[in-house]
Amino acid sequence: SSGINAEYGLLCKPTDDLRKDSRYMEFNTMVNRLLKKDVVARKKQLHIRTYNVIPLSENSGLVEWVDNTKLLRSILLELYNERGMGFTRTELNDTFKRLKAIKQKPDERARNKEFIEFFNNSM
């Protein structure tokens, strides 16, 4: 059958729970079926681009690689640079690390206060 010798790109996610992502894709598939039944949506060729998600465990899985896509981080970096608000990758990584550290703090009130301070100092 066709496809046996085909190559498929996969993104391996060794530390992410993809069960919810998988459910989103199932939901999007149902939405696409409804869009196909609707005359106006069909004329406008409305659809949601779906991709395969395979959870392997609670904290790992595989995601189908979609050709001609860009990472959100790359898009944001380009936009920031175009507007003269550029960040280096190191600065951006450091920012994400600081936000992740704040997010992991157990005390919600202190965590929220630290988020607000972080964003006020970033502007």
Side-chain angles (χ1 to χ4, degrees):
S1 110
S2 67
I4 290 178
N5 294 321
E7 289 186 26
Y8 296 97
L10 295 174
L11 177 63
C12 298
K13 304 288 282 187
T15 59
D16 289 336
D17 185 350
L18 298 179
R19 293 175 296 176
K20 194 182 292 184
D21 299 66
S22 179
R23 300 297 286 172
Y24 286 142
M25 287 303 110
E26 289 176 18
F27 175 77
N28 290 340
T29 299
M30 290 189 316
V31 170
N32 280 338
R33 285 186 196 131
L34 294 172
L35 289 171
K36 283 183 180 180
K37 291 180 181 180
D38 183 79
V39 175
V40 175
R42 207 171 42 244
K43 282 183 182 177
K44 292 182 178 185
Q45 297 180 335
L46 298 179
H47 70 283
I48 299 171
R49 172 63 171 99
T50 60
Y51 49 88
N52 291 308
V53 178
I54 305 166
L56 298 174
S57 70
E58 288 182 8
N59 59 3
S60 68
L62 303 171
V63 178
E64 175 186 11
W65 188 260
V66 180
D67 290 331
N68 303 315
T69 58
K70 292 176 77 173
L71 299 173
L72 179 59
R73 178 181 278 182
S74 299
I75 294 168
L76 292 176
L77 282 173
E78 285 178 29
L79 291 172
Y80 287 140
N81 287 330
E82 287 173 9
R83 290 168 175 76
M85 303 165 37
F87 295 98
T88 65
R89 289 195 184 278
T90 302
E91 290 171 325
L92 201 55
N93 285 337
D94 290 345
T95 299
F96 284 125
K97 285 177 188 173
R98 285 195 306 257
L99 288 171
K100 189 174 183 179
I102 294 170
K103 181 182 172 190
Q104 292 175 344
K105 296 197 177 224
D107 179 23
E108 184 178 1
R109 184 171 278 161
R111 185 174 61 235
N112 290 343
K113 182 180 178 190
E114 203 167 332
F115 269 128
I116 290 167
E117 288 173 5
F118 174 84
F119 284 108
N120 283 337
N121 293 331
S122 297
M123 301 235 148

